[in-house]
Amino acid sequence: MTIPDYQSIMLPLLKLLSDKNEHSLREAIEQLANEFELSEEERKELLPSGRQATFDNRVGWARTYMKKAGLIESTRRGYFRITDRGKTVLEENPTNINVKFLERFDEFNEFRNLRHDKSVTTEEWEQ
């Protein structure tokens, strides 16, 4: 299997949080890597910068996007949980969650407009 893109990670991440408990980013990365049946090599594959694992980076972006859409919330540094909005989304039983899906939320659109205004071009963003 190839490493999934961050949009493919969004729905499995939200489902992982459906237990309404607080989860750490590290715990989520491990559980999702198992769910996607990533090999040890895929888990260790680094971004071109060599500073972060590709899969870890993509889980981080999935978390960030869903947080900006109000589907999850930070509880403390490195920990997060599902919000009421996130629970409502899961009740809709979506087949996937991606950027287009998140555009229904004003907070997400505001975040994207700010990001585009700043012309983010970092290597990690393009992953």
Side-chain angles (χ1 to χ4, degrees), residues 33-58:
N34 290 337
E35 182 174 334
F36 284 106
E37 299 179 347
L38 297 182
S39 68
E40 281 304 310
E41 294 78 30
E42 290 167 328
R43 291 172 194 236
K44 293 178 182 176
E45 181 181 308
L46 297 177
L47 294 171
S49 68
R51 296 181 186 181
Q52 185 181 27
T54 300
F55 185 69
D56 295 14
N57 177 271
R58 292 180 181 173

Side-chain angles (χ1 to χ4, degrees), residues 94-115:
T95 55
N96 71 343
I97 297 176
N98 55 26
V99 169
K100 184 76 174 158
F101 183 95
L102 298 179
E103 288 175 349
R104 66 169 73 175
F105 305 111
D106 291 338
E107 301 91 337
F108 180 73
N109 292 319
E110 290 171 19
F111 158 72
R112 287 194 71 206
N113 290 335
L114 285 174
R115 185 184 64 77

Side-chain angles (χ1 to χ4, degrees), residues 63-127:
R63 177 192 61 168
T64 296
Y65 271 39
M66 290 196 302
K67 182 178 165 187
K68 296 299 183 180
L71 305 183
I72 64 177
E73 63 185 355
S74 293
T75 54
R76 55 189 165 122
R77 185 176 174 89
Y79 288 80
F80 47 95
R81 70 175 163 229
I82 195 168
T83 63
D84 289 339
R85 179 183 283 176
K87 294 174 206 170
T88 300
V89 164
L90 284 180
E91 288 170 2
E92 295 173 16
N93 200 23
T95 55
N96 71 343
I97 297 176
N98 55 26
V99 169
K100 184 76 174 158
F101 183 95
L102 298 179
E103 288 175 349
R104 66 169 73 175
F105 305 111
D106 291 338
E107 301 91 337
F108 180 73
N109 292 319
E110 290 171 19
F111 158 72
R112 287 194 71 206
N113 290 335
L114 285 174
R115 185 184 64 77
H116 288 296
D117 290 345
K118 292 181 181 177
S119 300
V120 177
T121 59
T122 65
E123 172 188 3
E124 283 76 16
W125 182 254
E126 295 170 357
Q127 293 301 315

